[in-house]
Amino acid sequence: MGAAQQPTYPDPAVLASAVDTLRSRPPLVFAGECDDLKTKLAAVARGEAFLLQGGDCAETLAEVSADNVRAKLRVLLQMSVVLTYAASVPVVKLGRLAGQFAKPRSSDFETREGVTLPAYRGDAVNGYDFTEASRIPDPQRLVDVYNASAATLNLVRAFTTGGYADLRQVHSWNTDFVKGAPLGARYEALAGEIDRAMTFMHAIGVDSDELRRVDFHSSHEALVLEYEHALTRVDSRTNDLYDVSGHFLWIGERTRQLDGAHVDLLSRIKNPIGVKLGPSTTPDDALALAAKLNPTNEPGRLTFITRFGAGKIREGLPALVDKVTAEGVSVAWVCDPMHGNGFTAPSGYKTRNFDDVLDEVQGFFDVHRSLGTWPGGLHIELTGDNVTECLGGGEELSDADLATRYESLCDPRLNRVQSLEMAFLVADMLRHS
């Protein structure tokens, strides 16, 4: 079967040159880091940890800056602190960044006012501007994505090991608009409890390095195969193949065909990997994917990311979890409550309602509680900025508010306040799991 959702490049020679350039570049991540993440995800699969995976719907080359990376990292750190402290469970932190530059589309073309052009497939492929020149797929963008991902990972590593992720900074993560909000006050109260706990630990001589830094890994959808193939390398320690474009790669709902090129690629690499499962997925589909992608049933290797929609999760998920569990498949179950709940508002903006997102998460937890299995994590599109892209939440954003600061080029994201609110609500769910 051919490769789905691939761009059509006009000049094969230019594409070959870009791919050759990528093949000569150093790894963005290292095999040992991927193995460390796999070990952490094995704990998630066993019910001993919780995965928080979040970031942009689609990164853009123009937004790779210290401020933007810090803002995303900050909200993920805040969420992980809430989940860890309030629910007493270790949180595996996985950014949807440093590679999330391509998006699958439902149509190859877009028409506006009688003009039809190729669809925007993310900055890895073409430009967002609705012009013929912008929408032509450009292989040089793959090299630009590599460079942007390298810069992003350098910033993340600097922040997570250079003091910004120190738990003694927990109050500084709550500056600006959140601090004055009711939710900010709740976070400040929790931060005060953490301060008191750390003062106590210091008094009795406990000063762990774990309090000063965090392990943070990168992930993206393995979509544009020229990019992923070019960054697949042989590990010098083991002679195994790793895709060194990111620590964790996933296959989307549109590209999970069992005999497709995306499943074939991810079946050959040793990274921890994920598969998005939507409402059309049958239990036999899930088992076949597990057999293909993780034939040795290695713990931590495979994550199933479910994206059913709030109205379908309680009906569709139980049969999948029940049969996969009965067959003894080692898998981490993670909820993507974003992609099944999108709609177009009367104003014309693509949006999601916070209540629908929350209801899908609650349904995910309800199903796992009823089956005695572990709700392993949350995969959400979010930003550290005060955007207005999703309706509802504590700020009660309405359709009229969407135009105020709608910045996503693809799908709507939870803003920082909504993300932090989600963390507190999910922590309550975890306490009862």
Side-chain angles (χ1 to χ4, degrees):
M1 185 174 182
Q5 294 286 332
Q6 298 304 289
T8 301
Y9 293 106
D11 190 333
V14 175
L15 174 61
S17 175
V19 169
D20 285 343
T21 298
L22 289 172
R23 286 189 179 129
S24 70
R25 295 292 170 90
L28 289 171
V29 303
F30 298 99
E33 296 172 335
C34 298
D35 293 342
D36 289 343
L37 177 59
K38 194 184 299 182
T39 299
K40 291 179 171 63
L41 291 173
V44 173
R46 292 192 303 268
E48 299 169 2
F50 189 80
L51 174 67
L52 175 62
Q53 184 176 9
D56 277 323
C57 161
E59 297 173 277
T60 63
L61 297 169
E63 292 184 350
V64 178
S65 69
D67 287 344
N68 283 325
V69 172
R70 182 175 57 242
K72 294 175 198 174
L73 183 61
R74 177 180 59 186
V75 71
L76 287 166
L77 290 173
Q78 281 189 303
M79 293 176 73
S80 66
V81 161
V82 169
L83 290 166
T84 303
Y85 195 80
S88 299
V89 60
V91 173
V92 180
K93 291 163 278 292
L94 184 57
R96 188 183 157 108
L97 49 72
Q100 186 56 21
F101 288 92
K103 291 291 291 182
R105 305 314 301 245
S106 56
S107 173
D108 289 338
F109 296 95
E110 178 184 358
T111 300
R112 298 185 194 176
E113 299 178 353
V115 177
T116 299
L117 295 175
Y120 172 63
R121 290 185 171 273
D123 276 12
V125 177
N126 55 4
Y128 183 74
D129 291 342
F130 195 71
T131 65
E132 185 174 1
S134 174
R135 291 297 176 91
I136 295 173
D138 179 3
Q140 178 59 37
R141 287 176 170 270
L142 299 177
V143 179
D144 295 340
V145 161
Y146 171 92
N147 294 333
S149 298
T152 299
L153 285 169
N154 284 339
L155 287 165
V156 168
R157 287 173 174 135
F159 283 129
T160 55
T161 62
Y164 187 74
D166 192 323
L167 269 177
R168 288 168 293 191
Q169 302 293 320
V170 70
H171 289 287
S172 71
W173 302 338
N174 200 38
T175 54
D176 62 51
F177 67 91
V178 173
K179 196 163 189 176
L183 196 63
R186 185 178 178 186
Y187 177 84
E188 280 296 301
L190 183 142
E193 292 180 28
I194 293 173
D195 270 351
R196 287 189 290 275
M198 292 187 66
T199 300
F200 172 76
M201 287 189 290
H202 179 72
I204 63 174
V206 176
D207 187 24
S208 172
D209 186 55
E210 298 300 320
L211 303 176
R212 294 191 292 272
R213 59 182 298 277
V214 298
D215 289 331
F216 192 91
H217 294 88
S218 68
S219 68
H220 64 268
E221 180 178 356
L223 186 61
V224 181
L225 292 176
E226 284 91 351
Y227 184 77
E228 306 302 340
H229 280 296
L231 287 167
T232 296
R233 309 286 169 77
V234 176
D235 176 29
S236 59
R237 308 167 307 161
T238 63
N239 288 325
D240 289 326
L241 290 173
Y242 285 78
D243 185 340
V244 295
S245 69
H247 298 108
F248 178 100
L249 293 309
W250 77 83
I251 303 168
E253 170 78 352
R254 293 185 176 98
T255 52
R256 61 172 174 81
Q257 298 86 3
L258 194 64
D259 58 350
H262 293 84
V263 169
D264 180 68
L265 171 62
L266 266 63
S267 73
R268 299 173 186 272
I269 61 173
K270 293 297 183 179
N271 305 58
I273 58 173
V275 185
K276 292 282 190 81
L277 303 180
S280 65
T281 312
T282 67
D284 287 340
D285 290 337
L287 289 175
L289 284 164
K292 173 76 172 180
L293 293 168
N294 192 19
T296 63
N297 207 25
E298 179 186 7
R301 157 72 173 170
L302 182 60
T303 297
F304 280 154
I305 307 166
T306 62
R307 41 152 296 175
F308 279 74
K312 298 178 179 179
I313 184 77
R314 293 172 178 83
E315 178 183 352
L317 183 59
L320 290 186
V321 176
D322 192 40
K323 189 158 187 177
V324 168
T325 303
E327 292 294 324
V329 174
S330 177
V331 64
W333 292 98
V334 171
C335 178
D336 169 3
M338 306 295 287
H339 286 91
N341 294 305
F343 64 95
T344 301
S347 60
Y349 286 99
K350 291 173 64 176
T351 190
R352 291 151 175 159
N353 193 299
F354 184 84
D355 287 344
D356 293 336
V357 173
L358 180 63
D359 187 43
E360 179 157 0
V361 178
Q362 184 65 66
F364 177 78
F365 273 80
D366 291 345
V367 167
H368 283 284
R369 187 179 300 116
S370 69
L371 295 175
T373 50
W374 177 243
L378 191 63
H379 177 124
I380 50 177
E381 293 179 338
L382 57 78
T383 175
D385 299 322
N386 190 24
V387 300
T388 55
E389 297 174 0
C390 290
L391 303 174
E395 299 171 298
E396 299 182 346
L397 295 181
S398 68
D399 185 13
D401 295 317
L402 294 179
T404 305
R405 192 174 171 186
Y406 195 106
E407 298 178 0
S408 175
L409 300 187
C410 288
D411 294 335
R413 306 159 294 176
L414 298 183
N415 64 27
R416 186 176 168 202
V417 172
Q418 292 167 328
S419 299
L420 193 53
E421 182 177 2
M422 178 66 67
F424 277 110
L425 294 168
V426 171
D428 289 338
M429 297 178 199
L430 275 170
R431 274 197 292 261
H432 295 97
S433 293

